[in-house]
Structures are given as structure tokens and as C-alpha cells.
Amino acid sequence: MKSMQPIASTRLSNAPEVVEWSLMRGDTLRAGRYRLLEEVTLPRNQQWQGSAWLALDSQGTRSRVLLHKLDFLIRIPDKAPRMIEAMRNRMTPLSRHSSATVLLDIFQEKEIYYVVQPYPAGISLALLMQEQGGALPEKDVAEYGRELCGFLTALARQQQPIVHGAISVDTIVISPDHHASLEFLSLFPPLKNSQSESAISSYAAPEQTRGGDIQPSSDLYALAATMHHAVTGFDPRERMVFFYPPARRLNPLVSVGMETILARQLRFSISQRYARPEDMQTDLDALIVSYPSEEMIAASKSASLMQSTGALQVLPQKSKRNTILAISAVSIVLVILLIFLIPFLSNRMVTMQSADATATSVAQASFYHNALDKQLVTELQSYQQKGIGLSDGRLVFDTYTGRVDVSLKKQAATALQSGNMSAAVDFLNQAVNSDPIDGEAQIYNEDLHILQHNSPYVTLALGLPVANSSLYLGNVREQLEAVYLAQHEANTNNLLPGGLKLRIIIANSGSSNSNVATVAQFIANRVSNAGNLDHLIGVIGWYNSTQTVDARDIISSVHLPIIAPTASSVKLSGSSPYFFRISPADDRQGDVLGSLLINNLKAKHILVFRDPTDSYSVSLSNAFAKRVQALGGSMVQQIFSENQTTVAQYQQIITDNANSSTPADAVFMAGFNVDGVRLAHAAGEAARAMPDSASLHNLKVVGGDDFYSVLLLGQGGSADASLALNYPQDMRRLIFTTFADAGEWQQFNIPQSHWPQLFQDWKSIYQGSATGTNAATPTYKGLMIYDAVGVAIHGASLVHDGTITGDRLQSSLLKLGTGSVAAYQGISGQIRFDASTHNPVDKALVILTVGTDANNTNKIVIQQVLGTFRV
């Protein structure tokens, strides 16, 4: 044979000196039996074992073989024989499997061990895709996948499971007769990937690339990743790691069944994938059965051809006697066949029923996907016409003054609509970096990372009026910021069972209450018509009582709990088995405020403002009036229009009242923050116009929870904010309730180390910029919606006996604070629900006023906390 050149001499501590030899093309080994043709590059995770060559076997009809030179064994001569024997014992049983690359020969020359395997006939899947110009026919890929699942089953069933560790389009070989086999089956157990090393392969499972144990499940992940590449043409080597968009978005010809199988196996969490290769093989079997056969396709084409040409076959007539004889013969044959086929047919029927069931499931999934596509078209039309709809990033709602990332969010939405998730992720990452206090962008970014990792998830819809309105915009932005923190906390801390992640869909109804029912119906349609492909388990919202009333029955009709953060109208109490709220109802607020005015402020005559068109205003004013009358006070009522009545109109009413025979000692307003600012300023203007009126000088303006806003401190840039900023003394007339305040935890002298995570996250994420805009400290709007999401997450975490559904979440919420289940500790106080009204039981309620700090600057301060705060 040709001479081989020595390349290194290695001396072991207790071993004789050995010499490593390089190989060259044309060299022969094993007494001339194997002639080396060319060196083959091994997968990266096998390169530590040595090198490999394509060789010609002169004793095997000149067949090609794969010859491994095991260089690493040179350095451990004392262990080498045992390792070779263990390898032989692992590999030999696989020779019975059709897809296996079995051992042909093992020999030793010049202290070096060699292992010979057959070189699979055919071409790699990568070359086959290159020849066909991209994606392969789905049926072919399904057949390859089924065959390789069988081989992986054989590998996993060895006494010590065998792992390939490098499955990809380059290591799967397709034979001329269309059978799939694996090249480069690892001779020895693969090593764990170093944490400092880049990913072994773009097809490798997350646990493999991150240094975890390499298990059979890793091979099954890599097979699914390779199949995804083959049916879509989407090359993972050109994209970010672990990013596999739904197959049908990349190739509409892919079936729902194939997309479902791949999506399941490509999930980030091992526990959410197929437990065994045979489970995936079973689903592929059923999928293949559902494909039309070649005969059916041919028959269909033939029928079409005959129909188009009008061809008609005429059978020749036969004699009656011949016909009778033929029928008799056929009958005898049928009887004989039935006797032998009945047992087979019985077993076959079971198999067919299973296949039919799976085929039915696939058809149903296809139906739901089509229904969802139609629903998305309808929602897009509403968005284009009115700016309303549902969005997980496909639509953009907050495009108003103060946002600096609008262009990036829109580019992300466009990319997502076209199925380019990678680009969408890039744009949203840029959006979050440029505007970290944009809660909408943060939520969409979190949602996309869940889909990007194929993580299992459940979804909450978030009902909000995202609109360019002084009444809504500032509060809605705060709520979006708070919801993101609740979502991120749940996903980071794995608060949901079974590795589930929380996805948020923003349901925007805009500035008009008339749109709430439309958007609520969109949510219901996704559940009832589209098979709940979003895995919706509940709805958080809406912003106020009127909006919540409009949405409640629609949401309840599809058995989703609707958890209201701040809707307090008494009309909602016990109105639906699926309605819950975490704020005290207006009758409790009315009782507290009525007692405050009569007992604490010593008022006897009260001027009451109410908006008869708003359910919140009506229920709060009614509860207040009932309490005042019970305590012996008197009232005169005036009508106002929410967000419409002007300062001048308020001032006229106050002045007329002051000049009446029974001037009011206090004013009660059942309205919103804008109304409170205008009324307080009107009272100040009236007092300055009538400086001798003692009643006007000391007149207090009392309101409910919807007064509470940074608008009272002059923040927001609107005309009403300017009033509060320019007339701070007028704002100090305000006294109001709230459902939560950031100062409560300090009020109760609770150590800061025991405060909820929101406070730390809010400071680090939304108030950590040295140059950009920082968010204000959250008001009750943010705190309450954070609690609404939190109690929904906690309720879902109590579901341990199956899939989380709306009904199961509803049942869990009712268990809080009963039996052995503790009440939920919210940031706003303890939360447990009354069994009949679904109102919170003895929930904390805070009395606030506008005071001043050491610099005589206005600030909102706590006067008193009522109810139960700590669990």
C-alpha cells in the first residue's frame, strides 16, 4: 500500500508511545481492501471522534463505504477495546431496521481503529431540494418523516438509547426508490454542547445547543425542523435560532395537518412536544392516509377528460346463459374471500376508524383556520374604517402624540401580516428600544417571542378604548404598561401550569362606546366560529361600566370570564355567571362618600351632579343619595354631560346655587377626571367672583374613583391639564375615592422587600431612562388592571386537571378565599369573590385628596384606607 505520513507523536502518562498517521486519497487499508476516494466532513458534534472517508470496498462488488478513522482512541489505548466492544453492541441490533446504517467491518492498523459502514445510495435531502428548486411535495416529506420516525423509535428503544445528534437536510439521504435513511449515525454517544460554543446546528433542539442532556427527543426536534425546511423552503440556517413560523404562512400548499404536527414538535419546551417518535409517526400515518391516492387522482383526471370529450363506453352484449354462469362464479369467489377476510377486515376497520378520526380532526382544523382567516379579514376592514379591532401585532392602535416608535410598529405589523415573523420581531425590538414606555409595543413583542419559540400558550383579550382622547389616552397607556409587566412576570416566573405562556390580544373599541359590542363580537367569533385557535380563556376589561355592560353578554355567551378592573356600576352585580370585578361596586363607594360628607365634613346641603346617560354616574349618584338621605342630609341634583359640560356652565350652576336660599355646603360629582377638573376650577372661579361668600371659599368637590388621574396634577398636555396646572389651588378642593394607590404599601408600613414586583419593574423598565421620556408612577388604573390580569393568571394556575378553558377559569375564580384556597393578594388588596354577585368581598377602598409637598407643589395624598388590604 501507499506510505502514510506520521503527523504527531503523543506520549500518555502510563501508555506506550503511539504515532498518528494522516490519510491521503488513493491510500489503501485492510490489506488493500479499502481504497480511499475522498475525505468526508463529519457533522460538527462528531468531529471529535476523528475523520471519515468515502472508500471503495474491493470485496463488496466494488461498493462504496464510509470509513471512520477513530483518532481519539489513540490517546486512551487502555479504554479503546472496551469502547469498541460497547459500540459494536449498541450498533449491531440496528441492522434489522431498513433505515439503519449498519456496521460492515471493524479493524485496527498501526494502533488506529477503523469502523466501516455502508455508504447510503442516493442524494441528500439538501441536494434534492436544490434540484427541485425549493420546497418538496408534502406527501413525499411526510413519507420520509414517517420512515425516519420508525428509525428513531428503534434508536430510542436500545438499552442505552442511541442519539444521532446531527439530523438535517445534509444528513438525510433519499434513495433512488424514495426511501429515507440517516447518514453519519454517531458511533459513540455525542458530547454535550459547550455553553460557550455556538449552536451545533440550526436544526438542533434548544436543550441540545444550550448544553443540556442530548436525548432522543432532540433528534425528533431536529427531524421536525428538517421537515419544516423541506415543505416550506424556509432555511433555518438563514434565520434566528429556534424560529419556525407556521408552515402554511410560508407555503399555502402545506396542509393544516402537516402544520399542526410540525408546530407541536417544534415547541420550545420538551414537555409540550411529542413524548415519543412513535407518537409523531402515528400522526404522520393518519396524515398520509388522508391524502388522495394516485389512483384517485388519475381517476379524477380521467373522469374530467371523459366529461370534457363526451366519451361513452358501450359494453358488448353477452348471452343470458353466460351472464348467469359469470354471476354464479363471482358469488362463490366472494363467499370464499369473505370467510378468510372477515378477521382481517375487523382489524382493518379499527385502524380505518382511527385514521378516519384523525382525518376528521385534520379537516376540522382546516375548517377553523379558514374561518379564522375570514374573521381576520372582517376585523381588518373595521380597523381600516374605524381604527378598532383585535391585535397581537398585526394592527397598530397607539399612533398618537408622544409615541416615537409608530413607524417601527407599523413596519412590524406589515411584516407580520405577510408572514415574515423574523422581520416583525426585528422591528418590534427596535420599537421597544426607541420607546420603552410604549406598552402596546412591549405586549406585541412578548407575544411574538412566544410564537417564535413555539411555546404553548393561553390568551387573555384586553378590552380598552385606545383613542386620541383626553378622557382615555393617558390612562390607557398606563394600563398597557401595567398589563405588559403582568404578562412578562407570568412568563418569566412560569406562573402558569404545564409550561404555558401568557399571550395578550388588545381589543380596541376606540373612543365611541358604540364600538364596544362590535369588538366584543370579534372575540366571541374567534371562539365560537374559529375553534378558539387563540386559546382564549378570558377577557380583561372594559375601561368603564357602560362599556363593560355592552361587552358582558357577548363575552359570556362563549363562556369566557370577563374580569373588570374598574367598572363599578351596581347594574353589573350578579348580572352574569361569567362577570367578575375586582373593584368595589358603586353602592359601597356611595356609602363611604355619603358618610364622609355628612359625618366628617359636616355637610347638610349637597349639590349633586349626575349624567343620566352613563351607568357609572347613575349608580354612583343613586348610592350616594341613598346614604345621604339615610343620614338626614338634603340634596339638589343637576344634570351634566360627561366630558362635554364646560367650566362656564358649571360656574353658572354653582353661582346660582350659592345665591339660593339653601346654598350647598359641598358638591358631589358622579363623573370622570375631566369633569372633576372643570368643576373644581369652576368652584374656584365662582369663589373669586364672590369673595365674601364663605360657603364658596370652603366648598369641597367630592367624587368617585374616576376622578383619580395625573390630570389633576396638570399632567397630559391637554386644555384641562392646563387648567389644573395653572390653578393648583382649585384642585385642592377635590376629595375622591380610589380602588388602589401606590402609597398603600407604605401606608401600612410594609417593608419594601415585601412589596409586589410591579414597583421594581416599573421603576427599572419605565423610569430608568436618563435621556428619554419616563412614565409617571402608576395610578389606580394601572394597578387595578395589573391585578385583574394577575388574578386571572392565579385562577388559571389552579387548574391542574386538564386544558385551561373559560369555564375552568370561572370555576377557579370562585374558589378564591374558600376552603383551603387562599384569597389572592393583589397590589390593591385582597381579592375574593362573592358567590352570587361576583363582587370582591370587603375590598380595600382608599380616600384621597389633592394636597401639597414641601415645595407647595400639588400631589395626591392618602387620607384613609377602608376594608381588607392584606390576605
Side-chain angles (χ1 to χ4, degrees), residues 677 680-681 708-715 720-734 736 849-862:
V677 168
H681 180 53
Y708 186 16
S709 168
V710 294
L711 187 71
L712 309 185
L713 304 178
Q715 298 178 22
D720 295 297
S722 297
L723 285 180
L725 187 64
N726 295 326
Y727 296 91
Q729 71 277 17
D730 293 344
M731 300 304 108
R732 295 168 198 154
R733 295 174 178 269
L734 293 168
F736 48 95
T849 188
V850 177
T852 59
D853 59 16
N855 298 319
N856 203 35
T857 301
N858 278 7
K859 69 174 184 176
I860 296 173
V861 296
I862 297 176

Side-chain angles (χ1 to χ4, degrees), residues 801-849:
D801 57 349
T803 303
I804 301 173
T805 64
D807 282 314
R808 286 186 168 138
L809 176 58
Q810 186 256 12
S811 177
S812 291
L813 293 174
L814 289 174
K815 294 177 183 176
L816 297 176
T818 64
S820 61
V821 181
Y824 176 71
Q825 179 62 64
I827 203 168
S828 61
Q830 79 151 18
I831 299 175
R832 61 187 180 95
F833 299 103
D834 181 83
S836 58
T837 65
H838 293 187
N839 291 335
V841 177
D842 195 29
K843 180 71 187 300
L845 189 64
V846 187
I847 307 296
L848 300 171
T849 188

Side-chain angles (χ1 to χ4, degrees), residues 484-806:
Y484 164 69
L485 292 185
Q487 178 192 24
H488 184 66
E489 180 183 343
N491 292 336
T492 302
N493 297 333
N494 296 313
L495 299 183
L496 289 167
L500 291 170
K501 300 301 181 183
L502 177 64
R503 186 166 161 260
I504 299 290
I505 291 180
I506 299 175
N508 176 31
S509 55
S511 60
S512 175
N513 290 350
S514 62
N515 293 326
V516 172
T518 301
V519 176
Q521 192 62 57
F522 289 162
I523 297 172
N525 290 346
R526 289 202 182 191
V527 175
S528 59
N529 299 343
N532 198 9
L533 297 178
D534 292 299
H535 308 295
L536 282 157
I537 61 170
V539 176
I540 308 297
W542 246 257
Y543 184 86
N544 59 39
S545 296
T546 299
Q547 295 167 349
T548 305
V549 168
D550 291 342
R552 176 200 57 207
D553 292 340
I554 297 171
I555 300 301
S556 298
S557 69
V558 291
H559 290 205
L560 292 181
I562 177 170
I563 305 173
T566 54
S568 53
S569 171
V570 294
K571 289 176 62 176
L572 289 164
S573 298
S575 60
S576 165
Y578 293 93
F579 172 77
F580 296 83
R581 62 167 147 223
I582 63 170
S583 61
D586 289 336
D587 48 5
R588 173 160 166 73
Q589 284 196 81
D591 284 349
V592 168
L593 292 171
S595 299
L596 175 72
L597 281 171
I598 300 299
N599 296 332
N600 294 40
L601 299 182
K602 306 302 180 182
K604 296 180 179 178
H605 305 292
I606 303 167
L607 177 61
V608 178
F609 285 89
R610 71 197 298 263
D611 181 349
T613 66
D614 182 77
S615 61
Y616 164 75
S617 183
V618 170
S619 67
L620 181 59
S621 60
N622 286 348
F624 173 81
K626 183 177 179 180
R627 184 59 177 166
V628 168
Q629 290 171 345
L631 295 174
S634 64
M635 297 171 297
V636 59
Q637 293 198 10
Q638 291 287 342
I639 302 300
F640 81 101
S641 180
E642 166 194 315
N643 202 30
Q644 300 297 321
T645 302
T646 65
V647 172
Q649 291 169 329
Y650 284 127
Q651 184 177 343
Q652 185 63 55
I653 295 172
I654 291 173
T655 301
D656 291 344
N657 178 267
N659 290 325
S660 69
S661 57
T662 56
D665 305 315
V667 178
F668 179 77
M669 158 67 77
F672 298 88
N673 54 9
V674 170
D675 308 309
V677 168
R678 293 177 186 177
L679 183 57
H681 180 53
E685 290 285 86
R688 286 184 285 274
M690 301 173 64
D692 296 332
S693 174
S695 61
L696 285 179
H697 179 73
N698 298 314
L699 193 67
K700 294 292 185 181
V701 177
V702 179
D705 61 281
D706 265 310
F707 269 19
Y708 186 16
S709 168
V710 294
L711 187 71
L712 309 185
L713 304 178
Q715 298 178 22
S718 67
D720 295 297
S722 297
L723 285 180
L725 187 64
N726 295 326
Y727 296 91
Q729 71 277 17
D730 293 344
M731 300 304 108
R732 295 168 198 154
R733 295 174 178 269
L734 293 168
I735 300 174
F736 48 95
T737 57
T738 187
F739 302 135
D741 185 89
E744 284 179 278
W745 291 79
Q746 187 173 5
Q747 182 86 1
F748 285 98
N749 297 315
I750 299 170
Q752 194 165 351
S753 59
H754 290 76
W755 290 11
Q757 186 173 334
L758 173 133
F759 293 119
Q760 180 180 351
D761 290 346
W762 193 280
K763 185 175 182 180
S764 62
I765 295 176
Y766 299 138
Q767 298 178 327
S769 174
T771 56
T773 303
N774 285 319
T777 299
T779 68
Y780 85 104
K781 292 289 187 182
L783 302 180
M784 292 297 285
I785 205 164
Y786 178 88
D787 271 357
V789 177
V791 78
I793 294 167
H794 185 67
S797 72
L798 299 177
V799 178
H800 299 297
D801 57 349
T803 303
I804 301 173
T805 64

